[in-house]
């Protein structure tokens, strides 16, 4: 394939218009799906954190505690991958004017390809952790030695954890970017192998990963600005905090929705502007 040389990038404004139109047509279902997604992820985080808290308070050996922590991370990332598959399916149905259902958030739990893809993204997450550790430890040791810093300082510890977490987030996004279209490729090519869906995604995104990431940021920048404004207003006028908290919740849900929408919207826009979009066959649609 030679998509890097021959494919034209879609326009941000047009793609954002598609996103807004799909959300407006399915307003209740879209936000409810985002709420269900966040509630499920919150519940999974809670139930996975419980055994860790009990283990940390017990006399469990350090090695066993590390093994338990790694196992919990695997479960969290794997479930997140399955939920991501389902949420992208919901967003895809909405932008293609198909019947969309909130229960489709759980769609990935019944798909073998979703399990394989989730296992792959979980592996990528641990690769991201390894790269982050490899980069951060030498830098931290150098800075601490250079400026005589110590973890005993609460501010230093908090800033270090925040910096390492931010680095992990960036690296994890970077290693996942080439494979962001794998879900949509798997959805429209039933029975395709994991290797082939990943290969096609990489080919489509080769040379345009920054453009795709830019669209994701572009689609949520306004919502992020509103959240920041609400925080500043809350600090200045605590009396309106309750109203602004509600606005912040809505904007957070909007950001979640737009980030998930950015994947299928960009994918199908890329196909459309280059004349590669297949005509929708009603007989091949998923039935709910």
């Amino acid at each position: 394939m030679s998509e890097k040389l021959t494919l034209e990038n879609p326009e941000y404004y047009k793609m954002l218009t598609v996103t807004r139109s799909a959300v407006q047509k399915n307003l209740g279902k879209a936000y409810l799906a985002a709420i269900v997604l966040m509630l499920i992820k919150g519940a999974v985080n809670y139930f996975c954190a419980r055994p860790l808290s009990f283990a940390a308070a017990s006399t469990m050996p350090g090695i066993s505690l590390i093994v338990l922590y790694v196992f919990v991370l695997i479960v969290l990332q794997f479930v997140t991958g399955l939920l991501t598959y389902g949420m992208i399916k919901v967003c895809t149905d909405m932008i293609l004017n198909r019947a969309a259902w909130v229960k489709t958030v759980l769609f990935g739990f019944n798909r073998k390809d979703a399990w394989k893809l989730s296992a792959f993204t979980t592996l990528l997450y641990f690769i991201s952790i390894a790269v982050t550790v490899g980069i951060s430890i030498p830098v931290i040791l150098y800075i601490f030695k250079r400026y005589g810093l110590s973890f005993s300082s609460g501010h230093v510890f908090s800033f270090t954890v925040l910096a390492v977490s931010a680095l992990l987030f960036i690296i994890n996004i970077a290693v996942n970017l080439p494979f962001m279209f794998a879900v949509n490729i798997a959805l429209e090519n039933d029975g395709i192998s994991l290797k082939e869906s990943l290969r096609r995604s990489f080919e489509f995104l080769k040379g345009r990963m920054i453009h795709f990431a830019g669209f994701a940021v572009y689609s949520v920048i306004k919502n992020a600005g509103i959240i920041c404004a609400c925080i500043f207003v809350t600090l200045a006028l605590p009396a309106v905090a309750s109203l602004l908290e509600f606005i912040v919740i809505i904007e957070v849900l909007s950001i979640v929705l737009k980030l998930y929408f950015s994947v299928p919207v960009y994918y199908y826009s890329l196909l459309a502007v280059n004349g590669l979009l297949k005509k929708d066959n009603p007989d091949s649609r998923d039935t709910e």
Side-chain angles (χ1 to χ4, degrees):
M1 294 180 69
S2 57
E3 281 83 357
K4 179 180 178 181
L5 299 177
T6 62
L7 294 187
E8 176 186 352
N9 289 337
E11 297 179 20
Y12 283 3
Y13 179 75
K14 290 182 178 180
M15 288 191 289
L16 186 56
T17 300
V18 172
T19 300
R20 288 171 176 168
S21 176
V23 173
Q24 289 172 1
K25 289 178 181 178
N26 304 273
L27 193 62
K29 289 182 179 180
Y31 278 91
L32 185 57
I35 292 172
V36 169
L37 174 75
M38 296 181 72
L39 287 176
I40 294 175
K41 291 182 70 172
V44 173
N45 287 335
Y46 173 79
F47 286 113
C48 285
R50 295 295 290 174
L52 280 180
S53 61
F54 286 130
S58 68
T59 57
M60 178 179 288
I63 297 297
S64 299
L65 188 59
I66 292 174
V67 171
L68 178 61
Y69 181 71
V70 171
F71 175 75
V72 168
L73 276 181
I74 292 174
V75 172
L76 287 174
Q77 291 305 309
F78 190 81
V79 173
T80 296
L82 296 178
L83 291 173
T84 296
Y85 193 103
M87 191 63 187
I88 290 178
K89 168 75 164 103
V90 173
C91 297
T92 299
D93 288 341
M94 289 181 181
I95 67 171
L96 296 182
N97 294 315
R98 296 172 177 170
W101 306 90
V102 175
K103 65 181 181 180
T104 306
V105 171
L106 301 175
F107 184 75
F109 288 86
N110 295 319
R111 296 268 300 198
K112 290 183 179 180
D113 55 351
W115 283 66
K116 294 177 181 179
L117 185 57
S118 184
F120 178 74
T121 55
T122 300
L123 175 62
L124 289 183
Y125 180 73
F126 280 91
I127 291 175
S128 300
I129 292 177
V131 173
T132 301
V133 171
I135 293 175
S136 60
I137 288 182
V139 173
I140 290 172
L141 291 177
Y142 172 77
I143 293 176
F144 273 49
K145 183 178 180 180
R146 180 81 166 77
Y147 297 99
L149 301 177
S150 173
F151 276 122
S152 58
S153 171
H155 294 296
V156 172
F157 178 79
S158 298
F159 180 79
T160 303
V161 171
L162 182 62
V164 173
S165 298
L167 179 62
L168 174 59
F169 176 78
I170 293 171
I171 292 176
N172 192 40
I173 291 294
V175 299
N176 276 277
L177 266 178
F179 312 108
M180 294 299 288
F181 293 164
V183 173
N184 282 113
I185 292 171
L187 286 172
E188 67 178 16
N189 296 278
D190 196 32
I192 191 173
S193 67
L194 174 64
K195 181 180 179 180
E196 181 62 16
S197 63
L198 294 175
R199 186 191 70 80
R200 291 189 190 182
S201 177
F202 181 83
E203 290 294 332
F204 276 121
L205 278 164
K206 185 169 58 178
R208 57 181 55 87
M209 283 183 278
I210 294 178
H211 189 264
F212 167 68
F215 170 64
V217 174
Y218 173 79
S219 65
V220 302
I221 194 70
K222 179 181 178 181
N223 306 94
I226 292 174
I227 291 175
C228 292
C230 288
I231 293 174
F232 284 120
V233 173
T234 299
L235 294 175
L237 301 171
V240 298
S242 298
L243 174 61
L244 295 181
E245 284 176 2
F246 176 76
I247 295 175
V248 168
I249 291 173
I250 296 299
E251 295 303 323
V252 169
L253 289 174
S254 297
I255 288 176
V256 171
L257 274 175
K258 288 181 177 179
L259 288 177
Y260 278 102
F261 266 107
S262 67
V263 178
V265 167
Y266 192 103
Y267 174 71
Y268 285 106
S269 296
L270 179 65
L271 296 182
V273 298
N274 291 282
L276 301 174
L277 189 60
K278 299 177 182 178
K279 291 184 178 180
D280 190 26
N281 181 3
D283 295 331
S284 64
R285 294 179 183 178
D286 295 304
T287 56
E288 301 291 342

